[in-house]
Amino acid sequence: DAESPKNSMPISNVPMAPNPVQMMYAVLTGIALWAKYRNTPLNAIQGFVQMLQPNSEDEQFMVGEIRSNSDKLKSLIDSTIALSDYESESTTLEAHPTSVLMACTTAIESCSAMCKENVTLGMAYDKKDIEVSLNGQALVQMLHCLIENALKFTQEGSVTVDYHMAGNQLVIEVTDTGTGIPMSERERVFERFIKLDNCIPGFGLGLPLARTIAHRMGGEISFDADYQQGIKVKVQIPVTLQNLTN
């Protein structure tokens, strides 16, 4: 047999090529954390763009493109910062009495500008408020991600938020009449940067962020397999019931 080269490395010791998604996330996290603590050039660009007063149609188009893309970049950085923060063990989610109705209403209002003309966005009717012990800010951000995602894929019909208690579990459902997600892709969409439709705006971070927040609160997010008119996302979080009001 031919003698192996002296400098050859056993196959088991050859380092694996890094996952491109992991590399992208690592780079973005570094940029995002740097941007979090410094006044970045992006802030200056956005500020100066707001001051511009274009005259011609070409100038209006160029300014619009700069504004649109700087807003997208800021959204990407903000989402990466949020995901990094919630993944960090050093980030604590202090629980305090939280109105579920208020949290849902706040999240709905934060997404109202994204709602299309033929889509109705709102709460299920005649909801009693539930007060539970959890981190209200995290709950609102998680719901914002779920509602925003539902609105992106719903061209007509409705996006509805509902909730109830099931034992010691707070159950929140975000239901839409959109295009739906194939059963084979329903776990994959919770991975970072996964987009099933590249024509829809976004970076594939909303659902991963929502699930990360749910996990930090001891809960889980899943899809209702029986719902066929679009998508029904179910959030289940163990909570301590504080109060129930009419």
Side-chain angles (χ1 to χ4, degrees):
D1 294 338
E3 185 177 348
S4 299
K6 294 181 180 180
N7 296 327
S8 64
M9 181 183 295
I11 293 178
S12 60
N13 294 334
V14 175
M16 297 293 291
N19 184 307
V21 173
Q22 293 176 339
M23 289 181 62
M24 181 188 300
Y25 181 66
V27 171
L28 283 172
T29 300
I31 294 173
L33 292 176
W34 174 79
K36 182 178 180 179
Y37 298 106
R38 292 169 174 81
N39 289 322
T40 66
L42 178 60
N43 294 333
I45 291 172
Q46 288 187 305
F48 284 121
V49 167
Q50 297 301 324
M51 298 171 61
L52 292 176
Q53 297 180 344
N55 297 315
S56 67
E57 290 186 5
D58 288 343
E59 289 177 352
Q60 291 175 359
F61 174 78
M62 287 187 288
V63 170
E65 286 294 296
I66 295 172
R67 181 181 293 115
S68 173
N69 283 283
S70 62
D71 287 347
K72 290 177 183 177
L73 181 56
K74 184 178 186 302
S75 175
L76 174 59
I77 290 175
D78 289 346
S79 296
T80 305
I81 290 173
L83 186 53
S84 176
D85 284 346
Y86 282 111
E87 287 179 334
S88 173
E89 294 182 359
S90 62
T91 302
T92 58
L93 298 183
E94 295 183 2
H96 48 78
T98 299
S99 163
V100 178
L101 179 60
M102 181 65 70
C104 292
T105 302
T106 301
I108 288 172
E109 290 176 352
S110 72
C111 296
S112 59
M114 311 172 199
C115 194
K116 302 176 183 69
E117 184 177 351
N118 296 327
V119 177
T120 302
L121 170 63
M123 289 289 306
Y125 293 111
D126 299 326
K127 295 305 300 181
K128 294 181 179 180
D129 194 9
I130 300 175
E131 191 175 82
V132 297
S133 180
L134 49 68
N135 188 285
Q137 181 178 353
L139 179 63
V140 170
Q141 186 156 16
M142 179 191 67
L143 290 172
H144 175 95
C145 292
L146 296 177
I147 296 168
E148 180 182 36
N149 187 76
L151 287 171
K152 285 179 181 179
F153 293 92
T154 304
Q155 303 302 319
E156 59 181 6
S158 63
V159 174
T160 305
V161 181
D162 196 2
Y163 61 82
H164 63 273
M165 291 294 300
N168 71 332
Q169 300 271 326
L170 170 63
V171 180
I172 304 179
E173 297 172 336
V174 178
T175 306
D176 67 56
T177 57
T179 55
I181 301 174
M183 293 294 294
S184 60
E185 301 283 1
R186 291 193 173 188
E187 272 303 308
R188 187 166 170 261
V189 294
F190 287 108
E191 298 176 14
R192 301 185 193 106
F193 304 110
I194 295 299
K195 295 184 61 177
L196 301 184
D197 187 346
N198 289 325
C199 295
I200 302 293
F203 303 101
L205 289 176
L207 289 180
L209 176 56
R211 176 170 272 186
T212 297
I213 295 173
H215 285 174
R216 285 301 308 273
M217 293 192 289
E220 185 54 273
I221 293 180
S222 60
F223 294 108
D224 186 336
D226 296 327
Y227 182 74
Q228 303 294 326
Q229 286 75 47
I231 286 293
K232 179 183 287 188
V233 182
K234 179 180 290 187
V235 183
Q236 295 175 281
I237 304 172
V239 295
T240 301
L241 186 64
Q242 299 289 313
N243 193 18
L244 182 65
T245 58
N246 292 323

mmCIF file of all heavy atoms in Angstrom, residues 61-83:
data_model
loop_
_atom_site.group_PDB
_atom_site.id
_atom_site.type_symbol
_atom_site.label_atom_id
_atom_site.label_comp_id
_atom_site.label_asym_id
_atom_site.label_seq_id
_atom_site.Cartn_x
_atom_site.Cartn_y
_atom_site.Cartn_z
ATOM 1 N N PHE A 61 -37.729 59.296 -6.297
ATOM 2 C CA PHE A 61 -37.536 57.845 -6.339
ATOM 3 C C PHE A 61 -36.286 57.445 -5.559
ATOM 4 O O PHE A 61 -36.324 56.507 -4.747
ATOM 5 C CB PHE A 61 -37.417 57.372 -7.788
ATOM 6 C CG PHE A 61 -37.070 55.906 -7.925
ATOM 7 C CD1 PHE A 61 -38.044 54.933 -7.744
ATOM 8 C CD2 PHE A 61 -35.766 55.513 -8.207
ATOM 9 C CE1 PHE A 61 -37.724 53.590 -7.849
ATOM 10 C CE2 PHE A 61 -35.437 54.170 -8.319
ATOM 11 C CZ PHE A 61 -36.421 53.202 -8.137
ATOM 12 N N MET A 62 -35.174 58.155 -5.799
ATOM 13 C CA MET A 62 -33.917 57.807 -5.133
ATOM 14 C C MET A 62 -34.016 57.999 -3.626
ATOM 15 O O MET A 62 -33.572 57.154 -2.847
ATOM 16 C CB MET A 62 -32.771 58.648 -5.702
ATOM 17 C CG MET A 62 -32.355 58.234 -7.107
ATOM 18 S SD MET A 62 -30.880 59.091 -7.691
ATOM 19 C CE MET A 62 -31.541 60.745 -7.961
ATOM 20 N N VAL A 63 -34.619 59.092 -3.188
ATOM 21 C CA VAL A 63 -34.778 59.333 -1.754
ATOM 22 C C VAL A 63 -35.688 58.268 -1.140
ATOM 23 O O VAL A 63 -35.428 57.766 -0.039
ATOM 24 C CB VAL A 63 -35.342 60.742 -1.493
ATOM 25 C CG1 VAL A 63 -35.735 60.905 -0.025
ATOM 26 C CG2 VAL A 63 -34.320 61.808 -1.878
ATOM 27 N N GLY A 64 -36.728 57.912 -1.883
ATOM 28 C CA GLY A 64 -37.628 56.866 -1.397
ATOM 29 C C GLY A 64 -36.921 55.533 -1.228
ATOM 30 O O GLY A 64 -37.148 54.809 -0.255
ATOM 31 N N GLU A 65 -36.033 55.203 -2.184
ATOM 32 C CA GLU A 65 -35.283 53.954 -2.098
ATOM 33 C C GLU A 65 -34.319 53.970 -0.917
ATOM 34 O O GLU A 65 -34.167 52.971 -0.205
ATOM 35 C CB GLU A 65 -34.505 53.714 -3.408
ATOM 36 C CG GLU A 65 -35.377 53.283 -4.567
ATOM 37 C CD GLU A 65 -35.993 51.911 -4.335
ATOM 38 O OE1 GLU A 65 -35.234 50.927 -4.239
ATOM 39 O OE2 GLU A 65 -37.225 51.825 -4.223
ATOM 40 N N ILE A 66 -33.648 55.100 -0.709
ATOM 41 C CA ILE A 66 -32.730 55.213 0.432
ATOM 42 C C ILE A 66 -33.496 55.050 1.745
ATOM 43 O O ILE A 66 -33.078 54.318 2.645
ATOM 44 C CB ILE A 66 -32.000 56.574 0.412
ATOM 45 C CG1 ILE A 66 -31.093 56.677 -0.822
ATOM 46 C CG2 ILE A 66 -31.171 56.756 1.683
ATOM 47 C CD1 ILE A 66 -30.501 58.049 -1.022
ATOM 48 N N ARG A 67 -34.627 55.740 1.839
ATOM 49 C CA ARG A 67 -35.431 55.665 3.069
ATOM 50 C C ARG A 67 -35.931 54.242 3.298
ATOM 51 O O ARG A 67 -35.852 53.711 4.412
ATOM 52 C CB ARG A 67 -36.603 56.639 2.982
ATOM 53 C CG ARG A 67 -37.479 56.642 4.237
ATOM 54 C CD ARG A 67 -38.647 57.600 4.106
ATOM 55 N NE ARG A 67 -38.205 58.988 4.068
ATOM 56 C CZ ARG A 67 -38.342 59.799 3.023
ATOM 57 N NH1 ARG A 67 -38.914 59.344 1.907
ATOM 58 N NH2 ARG A 67 -37.926 61.036 3.078
ATOM 59 N N SER A 68 -36.442 53.619 2.239
ATOM 60 C CA SER A 68 -37.003 52.274 2.366
ATOM 61 C C SER A 68 -35.940 51.263 2.791
ATOM 62 O O SER A 68 -36.158 50.459 3.710
ATOM 63 C CB SER A 68 -37.632 51.845 1.039
ATOM 64 O OG SER A 68 -38.042 50.488 1.084
ATOM 65 N N ASN A 69 -34.778 51.317 2.150
ATOM 66 C CA ASN A 69 -33.745 50.325 2.441
ATOM 67 C C ASN A 69 -33.054 50.577 3.778
ATOM 68 O O ASN A 69 -32.650 49.623 4.449
ATOM 69 C CB ASN A 69 -32.716 50.291 1.302
ATOM 70 C CG ASN A 69 -33.241 49.554 0.089
ATOM 71 O OD1 ASN A 69 -33.283 48.329 0.054
ATOM 72 N ND2 ASN A 69 -33.675 50.302 -0.923
ATOM 73 N N SER A 70 -32.933 51.832 4.182
ATOM 74 C CA SER A 70 -32.369 52.102 5.513
ATOM 75 C C SER A 70 -33.336 51.639 6.595
ATOM 76 O O SER A 70 -32.918 51.135 7.642
ATOM 77 C CB SER A 70 -32.039 53.584 5.676
ATOM 78 O OG SER A 70 -33.207 54.386 5.579
ATOM 79 N N ASP A 71 -34.647 51.780 6.344
ATOM 80 C CA ASP A 71 -35.643 51.281 7.293
ATOM 81 C C ASP A 71 -35.577 49.755 7.396
ATOM 82 O O ASP A 71 -35.697 49.185 8.490
ATOM 83 C CB ASP A 71 -37.050 51.709 6.877
ATOM 84 C CG ASP A 71 -37.315 53.194 7.111
ATOM 85 O OD1 ASP A 71 -36.524 53.836 7.815
ATOM 86 O OD2 ASP A 71 -38.307 53.715 6.557
ATOM 87 N N LYS A 72 -35.384 49.087 6.256
ATOM 88 C CA LYS A 72 -35.265 47.624 6.263
ATOM 89 C C LYS A 72 -34.022 47.186 7.033
ATOM 90 O O LYS A 72 -34.057 46.214 7.802
ATOM 91 C CB LYS A 72 -35.208 47.090 4.830
ATOM 92 C CG LYS A 72 -36.520 47.209 4.064
ATOM 93 C CD LYS A 72 -36.361 46.736 2.635
ATOM 94 C CE LYS A 72 -37.648 46.920 1.842
ATOM 95 N NZ LYS A 72 -37.474 46.531 0.413
ATOM 96 N N LEU A 73 -32.919 47.906 6.828
ATOM 97 C CA LEU A 73 -31.688 47.559 7.536
ATOM 98 C C LEU A 73 -31.854 47.758 9.038
ATOM 99 O O LEU A 73 -31.402 46.933 9.833
ATOM 100 C CB LEU A 73 -30.531 48.409 7.015
ATOM 101 C CG LEU A 73 -29.160 48.149 7.641
ATOM 102 C CD1 LEU A 73 -28.767 46.686 7.495
ATOM 103 C CD2 LEU A 73 -28.108 49.051 7.000
ATOM 104 N N LYS A 74 -32.521 48.842 9.419
ATOM 105 C CA LYS A 74 -32.761 49.072 10.848
ATOM 106 C C LYS A 74 -33.641 47.971 11.435
ATOM 107 O O LYS A 74 -33.415 47.510 12.556
ATOM 108 C CB LYS A 74 -33.416 50.434 11.078
ATOM 109 C CG LYS A 74 -33.601 50.779 12.551
ATOM 110 C CD LYS A 74 -34.206 52.152 12.736
ATOM 111 C CE LYS A 74 -34.237 52.521 14.219
ATOM 112 N NZ LYS A 74 -34.989 51.545 15.028
ATOM 113 N N SER A 75 -34.649 47.554 10.674
ATOM 114 C CA SER A 75 -35.523 46.482 11.131
ATOM 115 C C SER A 75 -34.736 45.193 11.329
ATOM 116 O O SER A 75 -34.945 44.467 12.318
ATOM 117 C CB SER A 75 -36.658 46.261 10.131
ATOM 118 O OG SER A 75 -37.453 45.158 10.492
ATOM 119 N N LEU A 76 -33.823 44.900 10.405
ATOM 120 C CA LEU A 76 -32.995 43.703 10.511
ATOM 121 C C LEU A 76 -32.112 43.771 11.756
ATOM 122 O O LEU A 76 -31.999 42.795 12.509
ATOM 123 C CB LEU A 76 -32.136 43.549 9.256
ATOM 124 C CG LEU A 76 -31.105 42.409 9.261
ATOM 125 C CD1 LEU A 76 -31.782 41.066 9.466
ATOM 126 C CD2 LEU A 76 -30.307 42.419 7.959
ATOM 127 N N ILE A 77 -31.494 44.926 11.988
ATOM 128 C CA ILE A 77 -30.631 45.089 13.154
ATOM 129 C C ILE A 77 -31.436 44.972 14.441
ATOM 130 O O ILE A 77 -31.035 44.295 15.392
ATOM 131 C CB ILE A 77 -29.887 46.440 13.089
ATOM 132 C CG1 ILE A 77 -28.839 46.408 11.966
ATOM 133 C CG2 ILE A 77 -29.216 46.765 14.426
ATOM 134 C CD1 ILE A 77 -28.139 47.723 11.738
ATOM 135 N N ASP A 78 -32.601 45.626 14.476
ATOM 136 C CA ASP A 78 -33.441 45.571 15.681
ATOM 137 C C ASP A 78 -33.883 44.134 15.985
ATOM 138 O O ASP A 78 -33.883 43.710 17.151
ATOM 139 C CB ASP A 78 -34.668 46.464 15.513
ATOM 140 C CG ASP A 78 -34.327 47.948 15.544
ATOM 141 O OD1 ASP A 78 -33.203 48.287 15.959
ATOM 142 O OD2 ASP A 78 -35.181 48.764 15.131
ATOM 143 N N SER A 79 -34.266 43.392 14.943
ATOM 144 C CA SER A 79 -34.704 42.006 15.141
ATOM 145 C C SER A 79 -33.554 41.135 15.627
ATOM 146 O O SER A 79 -33.733 40.268 16.499
ATOM 147 C CB SER A 79 -35.274 41.435 13.835
ATOM 148 O OG SER A 79 -36.436 42.126 13.441
ATOM 149 N N THR A 80 -32.365 41.362 15.073
ATOM 150 C CA THR A 80 -31.196 40.579 15.481
ATOM 151 C C THR A 80 -30.823 40.873 16.926
ATOM 152 O O THR A 80 -30.482 39.964 17.691
ATOM 153 C CB THR A 80 -30.004 40.878 14.559
ATOM 154 O OG1 THR A 80 -30.387 40.660 13.191
ATOM 155 C CG2 THR A 80 -28.830 39.974 14.871
ATOM 156 N N ILE A 81 -30.888 42.150 17.316
ATOM 157 C CA ILE A 81 -30.612 42.519 18.703
ATOM 158 C C ILE A 81 -31.604 41.844 19.645
ATOM 159 O O ILE A 81 -31.218 41.265 20.670
ATOM 160 C CB ILE A 81 -30.668 44.048 18.885
ATOM 161 C CG1 ILE A 81 -29.479 44.720 18.185
ATOM 162 C CG2 ILE A 81 -30.685 44.420 20.359
ATOM 163 C CD1 ILE A 81 -29.549 46.234 18.183
ATOM 164 N N ALA A 82 -32.893 41.911 19.285
ATOM 165 C CA ALA A 82 -33.926 41.317 20.137
ATOM 166 C C ALA A 82 -33.716 39.813 20.281
ATOM 167 O O ALA A 82 -33.793 39.261 21.391
ATOM 168 C CB ALA A 82 -35.308 41.610 19.566
ATOM 169 N N LEU A 83 -33.441 39.134 19.165
ATOM 170 C CA LEU A 83 -33.241 37.689 19.205
ATOM 171 C C LEU A 83 -32.015 37.342 20.044
ATOM 172 O O LEU A 83 -32.048 36.417 20.868
ATOM 173 C CB LEU A 83 -33.087 37.147 17.780
ATOM 174 C CG LEU A 83 -33.019 35.629 17.603
ATOM 175 C CD1 LEU A 83 -34.194 34.943 18.278
ATOM 176 C CD2 LEU A 83 -32.964 35.272 16.132
#
